[in-house]
Amino acid sequence: MSPAPETVTAAEEAAALAAVPRGLLIDGEWHHAGSGATFVVDDPATGASLMEVADAGPDEATAALDAACAAGPGWAATPPRLRADALWRLHDAVVAATEDLALLITLEMGKPLGESRGEVAYAAAFIRWYAEEATRIDGRYTRAPEGGSRLLVTMRPVGPCYFVTPWNFPIAMLTRKVAPALAAGCTVVCKPAEQTPLTALAFADLVRASDIPSGVVNVITTTDPAGVSDALLGDRRLRKVSFTGSTEVGRRIVAASATNLLRVSMELGGDAPFLVFADADLDAAVEGAMLAKLRNGGEACTAANRFLVHESVADAFAERLAERFAGLRVGRGTEPGMDVGPLIDDDGRAKVASAVAAAVAAGADVRIGGDAVDGPGYFYAPTVLSGVGDVDGLRGVELFGPVAPIRAFGDDDEAFALANDTDYGLVAYAYTRDLRRTMALPERLEVGMIGVNRGLVSNAAAPFGGVKHSGFGREGGPEGLREYLETTYLAIDES
Ligand code: NAD
């Protein structure tokens, strides 16, 4: 089933959904939940239900971990070249299934089809990158400085891993964890978000059809993430947990991970500042702002959450951004030519509306938008707010919607102080042509990633991750592989 670009019929939607497995992938087989329980997945563009999938409990989670543990030694012993080959074939299968996966992403998450295709390409890029990296896991060999022994450092897989992923990038957040884990020789249990399990199940089916051995990748869907997570985090066989989602839930998982002293990676929320200095190329800054703000409809941890613009260009920037926002088409992501889809649910939209209301009550100007869009589904109009000051109800709030609040600053010290005045530290964007200022950005900005004169940082070859309450650990690049490797050091006597 391959819909023509931007044209999806009801029959094609139905066919895409009918092809999705409804079960739990445990040890290479599809299983029902023992209780027979299922849950409904909704289309955020209409509020209508799409289909039902199995609702796992702690028992199924433990069965999935049983499978991961059983498959662990064999997968760890598989030569890296063969693990790499298996990842290559999985990569090719994901690319070949782009249209089907993209449609599922759009149906359950809402983003326009073109963006969903982009997410599948991004997801596949992690599998490709780690297929390449799998054969480059090395160690170290030196003489002890004082003599008397040789030091040999070797790497081995961490062991069984548990992955919890969010709804905003239903496949990319999964492959960003699964691919490096498999490359390192780990086996995994994945728990996708309850809002978007369909893409994960379709991905699981591709894994099942591949030559990756049974039990290496297990996928369970549930409406009881706390119960399932407690069962796995409390199980002494688990060795690592990697979580992408909100800071609040991340904190709970870190606390629970202490019992078994797990290796932990946390990709949490963001409050990205987008800095436009007086010397910036304003056209480029507006272009970058469109991407940094509207990719994924603003529902991205990397979304520009605050625009900090030098006072000499703040008004011109707001005017140009509002002009661009005025041309955006908002609607169901399966319809042709849409730029912005719905928010994930009514709570998400209410949160955006309350942040905008707080800014307006504090005196911000609504340049464009400022309202929810009528009709079924959870749409919110692309919104530009200028003259935003320090606003309770906006400060430190991850907007997760198509809203661009603009605040003017006077000099660099003020800009960087405002940028760092947040608990989060995932990403920042800076538009400037000054080399000295650019080179100082890593020291002046408390973040894990910086987009310099560009509104997109994500790249499978780069270390994605944050500092402060945005978490710790990195995904992507060689750094992402180290998250799944343990170090063993041998002191070899040479006397
Ligand atoms: P969320 O924290 O509510 O949910 C994320 C996942 O955690 C889901 O799978 C959910 O089922 C699970 N979960 C919920 N409660 C749990 C519990 N008590 N124990 C264990 N698991 C639990 O977040 P969300 O609303 O789905 O996603 C949005 C958040 O994710 C935003 O804060 C966003 O910034 C963040 N995010 C971060 C990155 C990153 O790489 N830093 C990427 C994408 C999204």
Side-chain angles (χ1 to χ4, degrees):
M1 201 272 327
S2 295
E6 313 301 343
T7 313
V8 183
T9 65
E12 285 168 332
E13 281 183 27
L17 293 171
V20 177
R22 288 151 199 261
L24 312 166
L25 183 67
I26 300 175
D27 204 14
E29 300 291 338
W30 290 109
H31 295 261
H32 298 297
S35 61
T38 59
F39 67 97
V40 174
V41 183
D42 291 336
D43 178 346
T46 62
S49 57
L50 292 168
M51 63 180 272
E52 289 184 31
V53 298
D55 195 355
D59 288 349
E60 287 82 24
T62 302
L65 183 58
D66 291 346
C69 291
W75 185 244
T78 300
R81 173 70 71 205
L82 297 187
R83 293 203 299 259
D85 288 347
L87 282 168
W88 270 116
R89 287 190 284 272
L90 181 62
H91 165 268
D92 293 348
V94 167
V95 171
T98 295
E99 289 302 325
D100 296 339
L101 291 166
L103 181 51
L104 290 173
I105 293 171
T106 293
L107 289 175
E108 63 180 348
M109 184 271 161
K111 74 181 87 169
L113 213 39
E115 280 201 63
S116 295
R117 291 189 186 105
E119 182 185 337
V120 177
Y122 179 51
F126 286 101
I127 308 176
R128 180 174 55 199
W129 173 268
Y130 287 108
E132 290 163 344
E133 288 293 287
T135 56
R136 321 236 185 282
I137 298 169
D138 53 15
R140 188 154 75 78
Y141 175 70
T142 52
R143 287 191 72 191
E146 63 287 354
S149 66
R150 308 268 170 168
L151 315 182
L152 179 64
V153 180
T154 65
M155 298 291 169
R156 63 189 161 84
V158 165
C161 304
Y162 174 44
F163 297 155
V164 182
T165 53
W167 49 263
N168 58 350
F169 291 96
I171 189 167
M173 297 303 98
L174 210 50
T175 59
R176 205 158 79 167
K177 299 183 193 303
V178 170
L182 265 53
C186 297
T187 56
V188 307
V189 176
C190 307
K191 194 218 72 60
E194 48 274 44
Q195 297 92 334
T196 58
L198 305 184
T199 313
L201 292 170
F203 171 70
D205 213 26
L206 296 175
V207 174
R208 201 183 68 96
S210 76
D211 49 6
I212 293 169
S214 297
V216 171
V217 177
N218 305 277
V219 178
I220 53 171
T221 51
T222 181
T223 54
D224 179 20
V228 158
S229 297
D230 286 350
L232 293 177
L233 298 172
D235 192 312
R236 291 177 67 86
R237 296 172 300 168
L238 190 74
R239 288 314 323 140
K240 159 129 195 153
V241 59
S242 177
F243 172 76
T244 299
S246 61
T247 297
E248 184 194 346
V249 173
R251 214 174 259 126
R252 278 191 222 161
I253 292 180
V254 171
S257 73
T259 310
N260 285 316
L261 294 170
L262 299 176
R263 286 274 299 267
V264 182
S265 302
M266 287 282 140
E267 299 285 354
L268 307 177
D271 180 14
F274 187 107
L275 297 144
V276 182
F277 293 91
D279 66 336
D281 173 339
L282 217 53
D283 290 334
V286 170
E287 205 55 52
M290 295 296 290
L291 192 55
K293 182 70 254 182
L294 294 172
R295 177 172 176 245
N296 231 41
E299 292 176 308
C301 51
T302 50
N305 209 43
R306 303 169 286 146
F307 289 85
L308 304 174
V309 186
H310 189 265
E311 58 198 11
S312 64
V313 290
D315 201 53
F317 178 82
E319 195 176 315
R320 289 198 210 177
L321 194 62
E323 270 168 27
R324 293 292 300 276
F325 271 40
L328 294 169
R329 294 189 61 192
V330 180
R332 190 165 189 244
T334 50
E335 287 168 20
M338 289 303 150
D339 299 300
V340 180
L343 298 179
I344 189 70
D345 53 27
D346 216 19
D347 284 353
R349 185 165 67 170
K351 190 175 149 195
V352 170
S354 104
V356 170
V360 171
D365 293 327
V366 180
R367 296 289 189 122
I368 190 155
D371 286 309
V373 176
D374 285 342
Y378 312 113
F379 295 94
Y380 196 90
T383 298
V384 175
L385 303 172
S386 63
V388 175
D390 233 339
V391 180
D392 283 346
L394 194 61
R395 193 162 185 274
V397 172
E398 199 179 13
L399 285 168
F400 251 53
V403 174
I406 301 173
R407 176 173 188 162
F409 66 80
D411 60 19
D412 281 24
D413 285 344
E414 186 187 0
F416 290 121
L418 286 171
N420 292 331
D421 186 20
T422 174
D423 284 337
Y424 291 109
L426 188 61
V427 61
Y429 304 90
Y431 277 75
T432 178
R433 288 188 263 215
D434 185 305
L435 182 62
R436 191 183 297 266
R437 183 189 284 132
T438 301
M439 296 308 287
L441 290 174
E443 288 114 58
R444 301 212 65 178
L445 288 168
E446 297 165 0
V447 291
M449 304 175 285
I450 304 173
V452 182
N453 296 325
R454 56 181 284 126
L456 181 71
V457 294
S458 303
N459 190 305
F464 187 106
V467 299
K468 294 161 71 178
H469 290 196
S470 292
F472 42 79
R474 293 293 181 269
E475 292 185 325
E479 294 84 356
L481 193 60
R482 284 186 216 134
E483 304 277 322
Y484 297 96
L485 292 169
E486 278 300 359
T487 305
T488 308
Y489 140 60
L490 283 77
I492 305 166
D493 190 73
E494 64 168 5
S495 59

